[in-house]
Each structure stands twice: as C-alpha cells, then as structure tokens.
Amino acid sequence: MQKIIILDFGSQTTQLIGRRVRELDTFCEILPYNKFPADDPDVIGVILSGSPFSVYDPEAFKIDLSQLRGRYPILGICYGAQFMSHTLGGRVEPAPSREYGRQNLSFIDTDNPLLRAFEMGSQVWMSHGDTITAIPEGFHCIASTESVKYAAYWSGDSIWGVQFHPEVFHSTQGSLLLKNFVVDICGSRQEWSAASFVDTTVAELKSQLGNDRVILGLSGGVDSSVAAVLISRAIGDRLTCIFVDHGMLRKNEFHDVLHDYECLGLNVRGVDASEKFFADLAGITDPEQKRKIIGRDFVEVFNAEAKKVEGARWLGQGTIYPDRIESLNITGKVIKSHHNVGGLPKEMNLQLCEPLKWLFKDEVRRVGRQLGMPEHLITRHPFPGPGLAVRILGDITPERVRILQEADDIYIRAMRDYVCEDGERLYDKVWQAGAILLATVRSVGVMGDERTYEHPVALRAVTSTDAMTADWAHLPYDFLARVSTDIINHVRGVNRVCYDISSKPPATIEWE
Ligand code: XMP
C-alpha cells in the first residue's frame, strides 16, 4: 500500500500531521528523523516535521537530504522547512520577535500545486523562534504574510517548505494544503479506508493465525473490543475473550458490557473475581499500592483463566499506533518505546497479535462502525484499568464502591441525556468524566431536620485529544445543578458535591 513517511524531528504536532494524512485516506508512518526506510517501494512522499530546536543548536537533528531529494516529493513544515533552506544554501536567522499565533497570507502563488485553490488572506498558524531570511538560489517564494516573507517556498523541483503549521486547526486551509501535497503532488490513490482496512486485516489474520487459538483480555474499552471483533471475524470461536470483573467497574458495567459482547457473537468468558480484589485491597490507602495490587491480581486471574484455553498460541491485544510511536526527547533519546505484556507466564509461549497497531484512535472508532458495533461501545469515554479504586480516596470497601457507583451513574447518565444547543450530546463533547468519592473527608450538612456528617463527591470532566494534556470541561451550570441535587437526594452517604476545575498539567485526570 502506498505510504507517506513523516520524519519526526521532535515536534509536539507530529502525530497530528499523521492523523491529517490518514484523514486523506492515505496510509502514513511516523518515524524518528534518522530512521528513513532504505528500500521501501511503497513510499510516495516525505514530510519533515517541526522541532523544538533551532537549526543552529549544536544538538539539532540533521539528515542527509541527498538521500531523499529527487527520489520523493518532500514537504518541510516549520523546522523541516528551515532545515532544508539552511542546508541548501539559504539563510535562517532568529526572528526579531517570536512568530507565534494566527497570521494571514497576503501573497499566494495559487499556480503552485501546493497552494492550488488557496484563498487570499487564508489564516495560518505560526510558531517559531527562527525565520528564513533568504531561500536557496533557484528557489521560489510561493506565499508570504505581512511579517513572514517566506511563509512558503518551492525549490523548482520536488521540495516544498512551509513555515506555518498546516496540520493544526487554526490553519484554516491546512487540510487543503496537505491534500494538494499528498494527493496531487505525491499521487496518493487514497485507498486507505475503514472498509479496505477491515478486508485486508481479516485476510491477513486468517493467514497469520491459520487454525491457531487466540486469547484476548477485554476491558470494555473501544480498543480491545474492536480488536476482538476483528479477530473473531477471521477465526470465529477460536478466539477466546476474557473479561475480568475486579469489582470496581461502573454500575452494572460487567453485565451490560458482557451482554454487548455476547450480542456481537464473541466467545467471551466473564470472570467475577471481585471478592479476591476486595480482600487484597482491604485497608490499603496508598494509591501506588492500590495500583500494584490490582495489576498483580489481574495478571493472576487472567493467567488462571488463560491456561484453561487449551492450545492457545497467541495473545490478542488492542494496542494502537500512538502506543507504539517512538517519541523523541530533546536529547534524541527514545522516551517512549512500547508497553510490554505484563506478567504473562512464559511457559504459555504466546505470540502477540495486534491488529490495530497501525491505527489512530479515531480510525479505531471508524473501523468499529464498519464492523457494525453499537455506537455506545464505540463512543465510550476512556476508563482507567484499576477502575473506581483510583477514584476513592482512602481505603476501598464494597460499600464505598457502591456509593461511588450510584453517584457516577447519575452523573454519566445525565451527561448522556443532555443535548447541547448545537445538537451534540454533552457526553460526546467531553473526553472523559467521572465521580470521585472523597472518603477521607467528611463535612456537615442538613437534610430535613437532621444534621448530616458525610462524604463529598467530586465531579471531574475534561476535554482533551490524547490525555497527555487536558482542560477542565466548562459544563453548563444548569446541568451541574441538576446532577448535584440528584446525587445528594438519591445517594445515601453523600451530602456535598464539588466540581474539579484543575487542568492537566499540573493536575492529572485521575485523582490517584
Ligand atoms: P492521568 O490520571 O495520568 O490519566 O492524567 C491519563 C489517562 O490514562 C487513564 N489512566 C489509566 N488507564 N490504566 C489505564 O488503563 C491505568 O492505570 C490508568 N491510570 C490512568 C486515565 O483515565 C486517563 O484517560
């Protein structure tokens, strides 16, 4: 399949470039700047990302352009554009003031294929400390703003550079620019789609797995669910799914999700191990210790169940592309490689089967829809593996979990029911939401004629694109008022509701 290679020079927005290219139904791979694949016949073009460095930094990441020039169309974005200009004989200098934010193009060469159909005044997003003050000989300036002369340039052959960021939302014609590059200049046939992905992946899984058996741990989340449905399309009941109830799932979640899985035709075993988890967590208040105990118990329960599946040779996982992209830190070292498979017994000798390993989250959702999965499974908010255990401050008891489940259920159901003015559900506007039981805190209240002395519940809702950073969601007051009243009136043990208005960083999404 045709592909675009995106060489990552360490920019915050590199993944976003990847997502935009995929939106053009074109496959792409994000690779560290120095890992260009030597002989890959499927490559049709190369994009060089931005970078935290200036081209003058001694540690700045550099590549040998002669390996690429003339072989593929190249688009440099921000640092990528400055690096090419600097290397090929142009001049890059510190900008008089940092060029940051929205600007408008005041000159555009719309005859150039990169800028075809661009509109005069088109808004672009700049973010750089250096600026190109001269382009190499023979190069052409193809766009400018009032303050940035070389907003975009063309080499006359196969190189283009833009000092703005077409991948970000604030560059209003950024997607058009990327389409011009990927489709018109590189010649993408736009053959990457959810339907083609399902067809090719099911065929590949059939040949990869043959008559083997596969086991897979389901979490209720979208990634493991979509992975399971894909694998079962290929091998049917030779896939055994295991869904462990650690007792700290949301209200009714174990039964509801198990029912969904059965309706999807999955061969699934639900294991209620809640007693074991509650026993092992009794009296534990330290968040890290809670997480460790849950992780350990989970592996134990999963393994015991997995061993009952005779002849299993593969472990299916819902790993997605962002889990695997090697991200670079400022020293060029890999700061995130890949998760490993925690604690599976070596004697089972399982190979990994990860059918979603090339997909971004939004693509996983599209594949889920293509597979006919119910919308409520596909649009579910992320939920932490340790579940409500990390949303109860203090030690965990079945009663506290019950209280939190009730409060959380009122909150999340109300969020699903609330339709905003633009017709979208509040639930779909929010990345993730949940209630937290502050079991270490008590406050005074009155109910009827009675004085109460009970626990507060904190509500959390955040907007985010990747959970790396998050902002607190500005929920409507009427919504908050109703949820607060409903929780205090209906959940015994709670007499106060607070709303968490911390962003990440410095707070995290979960409280523990
Ligand atoms: P934080 O709290 O670090 O969370 O801002 C970032 C995202 O990760 C989720 N999260 C977890 N997911 N196991 C998981 O599968 C965990 O132990 C875990 N802890 C946090 C969190 O809900 C948020 O989406």
Side-chain angles (χ1 to χ4, degrees), residues 298-318:
F298 184 86
V299 168
E300 257 181 64
V301 173
F302 185 83
N303 286 350
E305 210 52 40
K307 279 185 183 159
K308 294 182 195 160
V309 182
E310 270 177 38
R313 301 220 15 225
W314 298 83
L315 177 72
Q317 283 205 323

Side-chain angles (χ1 to χ4, degrees), residues 56-97:
Y56 291 109
D57 279 324
E59 318 88 354
F61 303 143
K62 299 185 175 72
I63 56 168
D64 179 3
L65 276 176
S66 66
Q67 303 286 317
L68 306 176
R69 188 172 188 183
R71 289 178 68 196
Y72 313 101
I74 308 172
L75 172 66
I77 294 177
C78 196
Y79 173 90
Q82 293 168 354
F83 170 76
M84 289 195 291
S85 176
H86 174 71
T87 312
L88 299 172
R91 201 166 54 234
V92 173
E93 294 179 86
S97 62

Side-chain angles (χ1 to χ4, degrees), residues 348-424:
M348 289 186 72
N349 218 355
L350 296 171
Q351 287 177 269
L352 271 187
C353 170
E354 300 178 309
L356 309 180
K357 67 182 178 187
W358 289 109
L359 302 189
F360 289 102
K361 191 90 178 178
D362 41 345
E363 294 178 306
V364 175
R365 295 202 160 106
R366 256 183 277 157
V367 167
R369 289 193 182 99
Q370 180 71 31
L371 290 165
M373 294 171 63
E375 199 60 19
H376 64 267
L377 259 186
I378 289 172
T379 54
R380 285 164 77 95
H381 288 166
F383 185 67
L388 301 181
V390 292
R391 294 183 181 170
I392 295 174
L393 270 56
D395 61 325
I396 295 159
T397 62
E399 175 60 6
R400 286 178 172 175
V401 171
R402 191 200 57 76
I403 293 174
L404 182 55
Q405 280 177 333
E406 294 299 331
D408 177 80
D409 185 55
I410 290 173
Y411 180 38
I412 299 300
R413 258 190 306 128
M415 194 172 262
R416 285 188 199 275
D417 289 345
Y418 192 98
V419 180
C420 301
E421 272 174 17
D422 61 3
E424 198 183 7

